[in-house]
Coordinates of all heavy atoms in Angstrom, one line a residue:
D5 N 39.3 -30.0 -22.7 CA 39.9 -30.3 -21.4 C 41.1 -29.3 -21.2 O 41.8 -28.9 -22.1 CB 40.5 -31.7 -21.3 CG 39.4 -32.7 -21.5 OD1 38.2 -32.4 -21.1 OD2 39.7 -33.8 -22.0
S6 N 41.4 -29.0 -19.9 CA 42.5 -28.2 -19.6 C 43.7 -29.1 -19.7 O 43.7 -30.2 -19.2 CB 42.4 -27.6 -18.2 OG 42.3 -28.6 -17.3
V7 N 44.8 -28.6 -20.3 CA 46.0 -29.4 -20.4 C 47.2 -28.5 -20.0 O 47.2 -27.3 -20.1 CB 46.3 -29.9 -21.8 CG1 45.2 -30.9 -22.2 CG2 46.4 -28.8 -22.8
S8 N 48.2 -29.2 -19.4 CA 49.4 -28.4 -19.0 C 50.6 -29.2 -19.4 O 50.6 -30.5 -19.4 CB 49.4 -28.2 -17.5 OG 49.2 -29.5 -16.8
P9 N 51.7 -28.5 -19.7 CA 53.0 -29.2 -20.1 C 53.7 -29.8 -18.9 O 53.6 -29.3 -17.8 CB 53.8 -28.1 -20.8 CG 53.3 -26.9 -20.1 CD 51.8 -27.1 -19.8
T10 N 54.3 -31.0 -19.1 CA 55.2 -31.6 -18.1 C 56.6 -31.3 -18.4 O 56.9 -30.8 -19.5 CB 54.9 -33.1 -18.1 OG1 55.5 -33.7 -19.3 CG2 53.5 -33.5 -18.0
P11 N 57.5 -31.6 -17.5 CA 59.0 -31.3 -17.8 C 59.5 -32.0 -19.0 O 60.4 -31.6 -19.7 CB 59.6 -31.8 -16.5 CG 58.6 -31.6 -15.4 CD 57.3 -32.0 -16.1
S12 N 58.9 -33.2 -19.4 CA 59.3 -33.9 -20.5 C 58.8 -33.4 -21.9 O 59.3 -33.8 -22.9 CB 58.9 -35.4 -20.4 OG 57.5 -35.5 -20.6
G13 N 57.9 -32.4 -21.8 CA 57.3 -31.9 -23.0 C 56.0 -32.5 -23.3 O 55.3 -32.0 -24.3
A14 N 55.6 -33.5 -22.6 CA 54.3 -34.1 -22.8 C 53.2 -33.2 -22.2 O 53.5 -32.4 -21.3 CB 54.2 -35.5 -22.2
L15 N 52.0 -33.4 -22.7 CA 50.8 -32.6 -22.1 C 50.0 -33.5 -21.2 O 49.9 -34.7 -21.4 CB 49.9 -32.2 -23.2 CG 50.5 -31.2 -24.3 CD1 49.6 -30.9 -25.4 CD2 51.0 -29.9 -23.6
A16 N 49.6 -32.9 -20.1 CA 48.8 -33.7 -19.1 C 47.4 -33.1 -18.9 O 47.3 -31.9 -18.9 CB 49.6 -33.7 -17.7
S17 N 46.4 -33.9 -18.8 CA 45.0 -33.5 -18.6 C 44.4 -34.1 -17.4 O 44.4 -35.4 -17.3 CB 44.2 -33.9 -19.9 OG 42.8 -33.8 -19.6
P18 N 43.9 -33.3 -16.5 CA 43.2 -33.9 -15.3 C 42.0 -34.7 -15.7 O 41.7 -35.7 -15.1 CB 42.7 -32.7 -14.6 CG 43.7 -31.6 -15.0 CD 44.0 -31.9 -16.4
A19 N 41.3 -34.4 -16.8 CA 40.1 -35.2 -17.3 C 40.5 -36.5 -17.7 O 39.8 -37.5 -17.4 CB 39.4 -34.4 -18.4
V20 N 41.7 -36.6 -18.4 CA 42.2 -37.9 -18.8 C 42.5 -38.8 -17.6 O 42.2 -40.0 -17.5 CB 43.4 -37.8 -19.7 CG1 44.0 -39.1 -20.0 CG2 43.0 -37.1 -21.1
A21 N 43.1 -38.2 -16.6 CA 43.5 -38.9 -15.4 C 42.2 -39.5 -14.7 O 42.3 -40.6 -14.2 CB 44.3 -38.0 -14.4
R22 N 41.1 -38.7 -14.8 CA 39.9 -39.2 -14.1 C 39.2 -40.3 -14.9 O 38.7 -41.2 -14.3 CB 38.9 -38.0 -14.0 CG 39.3 -37.0 -12.9 CD 38.2 -36.1 -12.6 NE 37.7 -35.3 -13.8 CZ 38.2 -34.1 -14.2 NH1 39.2 -33.6 -13.4 NH2 37.8 -33.5 -15.2
N23 N 39.2 -40.3 -16.2 CA 38.4 -41.3 -16.9 C 39.2 -42.5 -17.4 O 38.6 -43.5 -17.9 CB 37.7 -40.6 -18.1 CG 38.7 -40.1 -19.2 OD1 39.7 -40.6 -19.5 ND2 38.2 -39.0 -19.9
T24 N 40.5 -42.5 -17.2 CA 41.3 -43.6 -17.7 C 40.9 -44.9 -17.0 O 40.7 -46.0 -17.7 CB 42.8 -43.4 -17.4 OG1 43.3 -42.3 -18.3 CG2 43.7 -44.6 -17.7
G25 N 40.7 -44.9 -15.7 CA 40.4 -46.1 -15.0 C 39.1 -46.7 -15.4 O 39.0 -47.9 -15.7
P26 N 38.0 -45.9 -15.4 CA 36.7 -46.5 -15.9 C 36.7 -47.0 -17.3 O 36.1 -48.0 -17.6 CB 35.7 -45.3 -15.7 CG 36.3 -44.5 -14.7 CD 37.8 -44.6 -14.8
I27 N 37.4 -46.3 -18.2 CA 37.5 -46.7 -19.6 C 38.3 -48.1 -19.7 O 37.9 -49.0 -20.4 CB 38.2 -45.7 -20.5 CG1 37.3 -44.4 -20.6 CG2 38.4 -46.2 -21.9 CD1 37.9 -43.3 -21.3
L28 N 39.4 -48.1 -19.0 CA 40.2 -49.3 -19.0 C 39.4 -50.6 -18.5 O 39.6 -51.7 -19.0 CB 41.5 -49.1 -18.1 CG 42.4 -50.4 -18.0 CD1 42.9 -50.8 -19.4 CD2 43.6 -50.0 -17.1
Q29 N 38.6 -50.4 -17.5 CA 37.7 -51.5 -17.0 C 36.9 -52.1 -18.1 O 36.8 -53.3 -18.2 CB 36.8 -51.0 -15.9 CG 36.0 -52.1 -15.2 CD 35.2 -51.5 -14.0 OE1 35.2 -50.3 -13.7 NE2 34.5 -52.4 -13.4
I30 N 36.3 -51.2 -19.0 CA 35.5 -51.7 -20.1 C 36.4 -52.4 -21.2 O 36.1 -53.4 -21.7 CB 34.7 -50.6 -20.7 CG1 33.8 -49.9 -19.6 CG2 33.8 -51.1 -21.9 CD1 32.9 -50.9 -18.9
L31 N 37.5 -51.8 -21.4 CA 38.4 -52.3 -22.4 C 38.9 -53.7 -22.0 O 39.0 -54.6 -22.8 CB 39.6 -51.4 -22.6 CG 39.4 -50.0 -23.2 CD1 40.7 -49.3 -23.4 CD2 38.6 -50.1 -24.5
R32 N 39.2 -53.9 -20.7 CA 39.7 -55.2 -20.2 C 38.6 -56.3 -20.5 O 38.9 -57.4 -20.8 CB 40.0 -55.1 -18.7 CG 41.3 -54.5 -18.3 CD 41.5 -54.7 -16.9 NE 42.6 -53.9 -16.3 CZ 43.9 -54.3 -16.4 NH1 44.2 -55.4 -17.0 NH2 44.8 -53.5 -15.9
A33 N 37.3 -55.9 -20.3 CA 36.2 -56.8 -20.4 C 35.9 -57.2 -21.8 O 35.4 -58.3 -22.1 CB 35.0 -56.2 -19.7
H34 N 36.2 -56.3 -22.8 CA 35.7 -56.5 -24.2 C 36.8 -56.6 -25.3 O 36.5 -57.2 -26.3 CB 34.7 -55.4 -24.5 CG 33.5 -55.5 -23.6 ND1 32.5 -56.4 -23.8 CD2 33.1 -54.7 -22.6 CE1 31.5 -56.2 -22.9 NE2 31.9 -55.1 -22.1
L35 N 37.9 -56.1 -25.0 CA 39.0 -56.2 -26.1 C 39.6 -57.6 -26.1 O 39.6 -58.3 -25.1 CB 40.1 -55.2 -25.8 CG 39.9 -53.9 -26.6 CD1 38.6 -53.2 -26.3 CD2 41.1 -52.9 -26.3
P36 N 40.0 -58.0 -27.3 CA 40.7 -59.4 -27.4 C 42.0 -59.3 -26.6 O 42.6 -58.2 -26.3 CB 40.9 -59.5 -28.9 CG 41.0 -58.1 -29.4 CD 40.0 -57.4 -28.6
A37 N 42.6 -60.5 -26.4 CA 43.8 -60.6 -25.7 C 45.0 -60.1 -26.5 O 46.0 -59.6 -26.0 CB 44.1 -62.0 -25.2
R38 N 44.8 -60.3 -27.9 CA 45.9 -60.0 -28.8 C 45.4 -59.3 -30.1 O 44.2 -59.5 -30.4 CB 46.8 -61.2 -29.1 CG 47.4 -61.8 -27.9 CD 48.4 -62.9 -28.3 NE 49.1 -63.4 -27.1 CZ 50.1 -62.9 -26.5 NH1 50.6 -61.7 -27.0 NH2 50.6 -63.4 -25.4
G39 N 46.2 -58.6 -30.8 CA 45.8 -58.0 -32.0 C 46.2 -56.5 -32.1 O 46.7 -55.9 -31.2
R40 N 45.9 -56.0 -33.3 CA 46.3 -54.6 -33.6 C 45.1 -53.7 -33.2 O 44.0 -53.9 -33.6 CB 46.6 -54.4 -35.1 CG 47.8 -55.1 -35.6 CD 47.9 -55.0 -37.1 NE 48.0 -53.6 -37.5 CZ 47.7 -53.1 -38.7 NH1 47.2 -53.9 -39.6 NH2 47.8 -51.8 -39.0
V41 N 45.5 -52.6 -32.4 CA 44.6 -51.6 -32.0 C 45.0 -50.3 -32.6 O 46.2 -49.9 -32.5 CB 44.5 -51.5 -30.5 CG1 43.5 -50.4 -30.1 CG2 44.1 -52.8 -29.9
L42 N 44.0 -49.5 -33.2 CA 44.3 -48.2 -33.7 C 43.5 -47.2 -32.8 O 42.2 -47.4 -32.7 CB 43.9 -48.1 -35.1 CG 43.9 -46.7 -35.7 CD1 45.4 -46.2 -35.8 CD2 43.3 -46.7 -37.1
E43 N 44.1 -46.3 -32.2 CA 43.4 -45.2 -31.4 C 43.3 -44.0 -32.3 O 44.4 -43.4 -32.7 CB 44.2 -44.9 -30.1 CG 43.4 -43.9 -29.3 CD 44.2 -43.5 -28.0 OE1 45.2 -44.1 -27.7 OE2 43.7 -42.7 -27.2
I44 N 42.1 -43.5 -32.5 CA 41.9 -42.3 -33.2 C 41.8 -41.1 -32.3 O 41.2 -41.1 -31.2 CB 40.5 -42.4 -34.0 CG1 40.5 -43.7 -34.9 CG2 40.2 -41.2 -34.8 CD1 41.5 -43.6 -36.0
A45 N 42.4 -39.9 -32.8 CA 42.3 -38.7 -32.0 C 42.9 -38.9 -30.6 O 42.2 -38.7 -29.6 CB 40.9 -38.1 -32.0
A46 N 44.1 -39.4 -30.5 CA 44.7 -39.9 -29.2 C 45.1 -38.7 -28.3 O 45.4 -38.9 -27.1 CB 45.9 -40.8 -29.5
G47 N 45.0 -37.5 -28.8 CA 45.3 -36.3 -28.0 C 46.6 -36.3 -27.3 O 47.6 -36.5 -27.9
S48 N 46.6 -36.1 -26.0 CA 47.9 -36.0 -25.3 C 48.7 -37.3 -25.3 O 49.9 -37.2 -25.1 CB 47.6 -35.6 -23.8 OG 47.0 -36.6 -23.1
G49 N 48.1 -38.4 -25.4 CA 48.8 -39.7 -25.4 C 48.8 -40.4 -24.1 O 49.2 -41.6 -24.0
E50 N 48.1 -39.8 -23.1 CA 48.1 -40.4 -21.8 C 47.3 -41.7 -21.8 O 47.6 -42.7 -21.2 CB 47.5 -39.5 -20.7 CG 48.4 -38.3 -20.5 CD 47.6 -37.2 -19.8 OE1 46.9 -36.4 -20.5 OE2 47.7 -37.1 -18.5
H51 N 46.2 -41.7 -22.5 CA 45.4 -42.9 -22.7 C 46.2 -44.0 -23.3 O 46.1 -45.2 -22.9 CB 44.1 -42.7 -23.5 CG 43.0 -42.0 -22.7 ND1 42.2 -41.1 -23.3 CD2 42.6 -42.1 -21.4 CE1 41.3 -40.7 -22.4 NE2 41.5 -41.3 -21.3
A52 N 46.9 -43.7 -24.4 CA 47.6 -44.7 -25.1 C 48.6 -45.4 -24.2 O 48.8 -46.6 -24.3 CB 48.3 -44.1 -26.3
V53 N 49.4 -44.6 -23.5 CA 50.4 -45.2 -22.6 C 49.7 -46.1 -21.5 O 50.2 -47.2 -21.2 CB 51.2 -44.1 -21.9 CG1 52.1 -44.6 -20.8 CG2 52.1 -43.4 -23.0
A54 N 48.6 -45.6 -20.9 CA 47.9 -46.3 -19.9 C 47.4 -47.6 -20.4 O 47.5 -48.7 -19.8 CB 46.8 -45.5 -19.2
F55 N 46.7 -47.6 -21.5 CA 46.1 -48.8 -22.1 C 47.1 -49.8 -22.6 O 46.9 -51.0 -22.4 CB 45.0 -48.4 -23.1 CG 44.0 -47.5 -22.6 CD1 43.3 -46.6 -23.5 CD2 43.6 -47.4 -21.3 CE1 42.3 -45.7 -23.1 CE2 42.6 -46.5 -20.8 CZ 42.0 -45.7 -21.7
A56 N 48.1 -49.3 -23.3 CA 49.1 -50.2 -23.8 C 49.8 -50.9 -22.7 O 50.2 -52.1 -22.7 CB 50.1 -49.5 -24.7
G57 N 50.1 -50.1 -21.6 CA 50.8 -50.7 -20.5 C 49.9 -51.8 -19.7 O 50.4 -52.8 -19.3
A58 N 48.6 -51.5 -19.7 CA 47.7 -52.4 -19.0 C 47.3 -53.6 -19.8 O 46.9 -54.7 -19.2 CB 46.5 -51.7 -18.5
L59 N 47.4 -53.5 -21.1 CA 47.0 -54.6 -22.0 C 48.2 -55.0 -22.9 O 48.2 -54.7 -24.1 CB 45.8 -54.1 -22.9 CG 44.6 -53.6 -22.1 CD1 43.7 -52.8 -23.0 CD2 43.9 -54.7 -21.4
P60 N 49.2 -55.6 -22.4 CA 50.5 -55.9 -23.1 C 50.4 -56.8 -24.3 O 51.3 -56.8 -25.1 CB 51.4 -56.4 -22.0 CG 50.4 -57.1 -21.0 CD 49.2 -56.2 -21.0
G61 N 49.3 -57.5 -24.4 CA 49.1 -58.4 -25.5 C 48.7 -57.7 -26.8 O 48.7 -58.3 -27.9
L62 N 48.2 -56.5 -26.7 CA 47.7 -55.7 -27.8 C 48.8 -54.8 -28.4 O 49.6 -54.2 -27.7 CB 46.5 -54.9 -27.4 CG 45.3 -55.7 -26.9 CD1 44.2 -54.7 -26.3 CD2 44.7 -56.4 -28.1
D63 N 48.8 -54.7 -29.7 CA 49.8 -53.9 -30.4 C 49.0 -52.5 -30.6 O 48.1 -52.4 -31.5 CB 50.1 -54.5 -31.8 CG 51.2 -53.8 -32.5 OD1 50.9 -52.7 -33.1 OD2 52.4 -54.2 -32.4
W64 N 49.4 -51.5 -29.9 CA 48.6 -50.3 -29.8 C 49.3 -49.1 -30.6 O 50.4 -48.8 -30.4 CB 48.5 -49.8 -28.3 CG 47.4 -48.8 -28.1 CD1 47.4 -47.5 -28.3 CD2 46.1 -49.1 -27.5 NE1 46.2 -46.9 -28.0 CE2 45.4 -47.9 -27.4 CE3 45.6 -50.3 -27.0 CZ2 44.1 -47.8 -26.9 CZ3 44.3 -50.2 -26.5 CH2 43.6 -49.0 -26.4
T65 N 48.5 -48.6 -31.6 CA 49.0 -47.5 -32.4 C 48.1 -46.3 -32.2 O 47.0 -46.3 -32.6 CB 49.0 -47.9 -33.9 OG1 49.8 -49.0 -34.1 CG2 49.5 -46.7 -34.7
P66 N 48.6 -45.2 -31.5 CA 47.9 -44.0 -31.4 C 48.0 -43.2 -32.6 O 48.9 -43.3 -33.4 CB 48.6 -43.3 -30.2 CG 50.0 -43.8 -30.3 CD 49.9 -45.2 -30.8
S67 N 47.0 -42.3 -32.8 CA 47.1 -41.4 -34.0 C 46.4 -40.1 -33.7 O 45.6 -40.0 -32.8 CB 46.4 -42.0 -35.2 OG 45.0 -42.0 -35.0
D68 N 46.8 -39.0 -34.4 CA 46.2 -37.7 -34.2 C 46.6 -36.8 -35.4 O 47.8 -36.9 -35.8 CB 46.6 -37.1 -32.9 CG 45.5 -36.0 -32.4 OD1 45.5 -34.9 -33.1 OD2 44.8 -36.3 -31.5

Side-chain angles (χ1 to χ4, degrees):
D5 301 328
S6 61
V7 294
S8 56
T10 68
S12 69
L15 299 174
S17 165
V20 171
R22 290 193 298 270
N23 65 32
T24 294
I27 293 174
L28 179 58
Q29 184 177 2
I30 304 302
L31 297 182
R32 284 188 189 277
H34 296 283
L35 265 58
R38 299 189 178 279
R40 292 174 62 203
V41 179
L42 174 64
E43 182 183 358
I44 303 297
S48 67
E50 294 165 277
H51 280 143
V53 168
F55 301 154
L59 305 167
L62 294 173
D63 188 281
W64 199 282
T65 301
S67 72
D68 203 287

